[in-house]
C-alpha cells in the first residue's frame, strides 16, 4: 500500500477508503494502483510513500543483514 497526506483545510470523507473521514495533514494508506489518482490532485494530496517503496526498503535491510 502507498501512503499519501491530505493537505486540504477541512476534513473530508473518502468513499474509496470505506467512507473514512480524513483530517488535514493526516497520512493515509491507499491502494498502490490508486496512488496516481490521489497525487494528481496536487492541492488536496501529496505523496508520502510511493507504491512499492516499503518493499524496496525491506529488501535493502535484508541485503545489509545478510
Amino acid at each position: 500500500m502507498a501512503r499519501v497526506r491530505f493537505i486540504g483545510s477541512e476534513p473530508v470523507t473518502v468513499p474509496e477508503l470505506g467512507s473514512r473521514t480524513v483530517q488535514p495533514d493526516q497520512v493515509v494508506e491507499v491502494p498502490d494502483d490508486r496512488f496516481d489518482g490521489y497525487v494528481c490532485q496536487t492541492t488536496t494530496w501529496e505523496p508520502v510513500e510511493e507504491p512499492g517503496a516499503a518493499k524496496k526498503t525491506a529488501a535493502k535491510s535484508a541485503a545489509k543483514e545478510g
Side-chain angles (χ1 to χ4, degrees), residues 11-59:
V12 294
T13 301
V14 182
E16 185 174 64
L17 301 177
S19 295
R20 179 177 174 183
T21 299
V22 180
Q23 302 294 324
D25 202 40
Q26 184 177 354
V27 174
V28 295
E29 289 188 340
V30 298
D32 287 352
D33 61 341
R34 294 292 300 133
F35 177 78
D36 290 336
Y38 284 86
V39 298
C40 73
Q41 302 173 61
T42 58
T43 59
T44 310
W45 301 95
E46 68 180 13
V48 172
E49 186 174 290
E50 294 188 15
K55 294 175 190 170
K56 291 177 186 174
T57 303

